[in-house]
Amino acid sequence: MKKIIKSALLKIVCFTSLFLFVNCVAKKKTSYTKKRTVTIEASEEKSNSEATENEYRSRKAEKVIGTALGFSGVRYKYGGTTRKGMDCSGLIYTSLLEHDIDFPRVSYQMADEGKRISLKEVKSGDLLFFRTSKNGKRINHVGLVVEVTGDEIRFIHSTSSRGVIVSSLREGFWNSTFIKATRIL
């Protein structure tokens, strides 16, 4: 009788162990797959598109600046738009046209284009406008911002005395004749 009980207990233990083992191993995993949707808030979407716009603007500005800097040292010539000589608006006009940006030819007309910005907002590629004539009532000079470092704004332009050069808005003459800045890119 003890043998029968031992044998029965052994069978029960083995059967239970086997049942538990098979149940654990053979148990099918059920996954409930749902279609996942992700919602992007409008502000995030806007900031991504703004970042892309800023990258595009920055690349375009770099190309235009590179073209303008290629004219460094070219002598001044009123109405000029070539390497033989150019004036301030000719430099800007030619540099923009090289990159398929259609823009007015003269500085006072250029000043009517784009969005007016404060000096704190100025970035490379923006335009600076000046009134250098003591008796003149309208803008007669333009420069292209090439670099902003801290509070120093450097711009390329063509002067009647030195031709195409890079100057700083900190310089007394340019600071005193500055009228406004605009963003066109």
Side-chain angles (χ1 to χ4, degrees):
M1 180 93 161
K2 283 185 179 182
K3 270 187 168 184
I4 295 175
I5 295 174
K6 265 187 170 179
S7 175
L9 281 173
L10 187 61
K11 285 181 183 177
I12 292 172
V13 169
C14 285
F15 181 74
T16 307
S17 297
L18 182 61
F19 177 77
L20 289 173
F21 176 77
V22 169
N23 208 12
C24 290
V25 172
K27 188 173 185 178
K28 182 181 173 189
K29 284 188 173 180
T30 307
S31 64
Y32 301 97
T33 316
K34 288 184 179 179
K35 194 172 185 179
R36 245 179 105 188
T37 58
V38 178
T39 305
I40 299 174
E41 292 181 24
S43 62
E44 288 181 38
E45 193 173 304
K46 185 178 178 185
S47 65
N48 288 340
S49 67
E50 282 178 6
T52 304
E53 278 183 37
N54 287 339
E55 289 172 12
Y56 173 78
R57 180 205 174 282
S58 182
R59 283 194 304 271
K60 194 75 157 173
E62 285 176 23
K63 289 177 182 180
V64 172
I65 291 166
T67 300
L69 289 171
F71 291 109
S72 291
V74 170
R75 70 180 184 87
Y76 179 86
K77 180 179 180 188
Y78 181 78
T81 58
T82 68
R83 293 198 180 280
K84 290 182 178 181
M86 60 179 40
D87 63 11
C88 63
S89 57
L91 171 66
I92 305 306
Y93 174 79
T94 303
S95 299
L96 291 170
L97 193 60
E98 181 77 21
H99 299 282
D100 300 320
I101 300 169
D102 191 28
F103 213 62
R105 169 62 183 86
V106 293
S107 56
Y108 72 89
Q109 290 175 341
M110 289 178 176
D112 292 334
E113 301 291 323
K115 176 187 171 194
R116 189 175 187 151
I117 55 175
S118 72
L119 283 177
K120 291 178 183 177
E121 298 174 276
V122 168
K123 296 179 182 178
S124 297
D126 292 337
L127 298 179
L128 303 178
F129 294 95
F130 305 85
R131 187 178 306 124
T132 60
S133 174
K134 292 178 183 175
N135 299 330
K137 295 187 182 204
R138 68 179 180 193
I139 288 171
N140 65 343
H141 192 75
V142 61
L144 173 69
V145 176
V146 295
E147 180 183 37
V148 179
T149 312
D151 62 347
E152 182 176 20
I153 300 169
R154 297 179 53 75
F155 61 100
I156 188 164
H157 58 133
S158 183
T159 66
S160 57
S161 60
R162 297 176 57 203
V164 179
I165 59 170
V166 175
S167 298
S168 172
L169 196 55
R170 282 185 176 177
E171 295 172 29
F173 178 75
W174 298 116
N175 195 345
S176 67
T177 58
F178 173 77
I179 300 297
K180 71 177 189 173
T182 63
R183 179 159 295 149
I184 58 160
L185 299 176

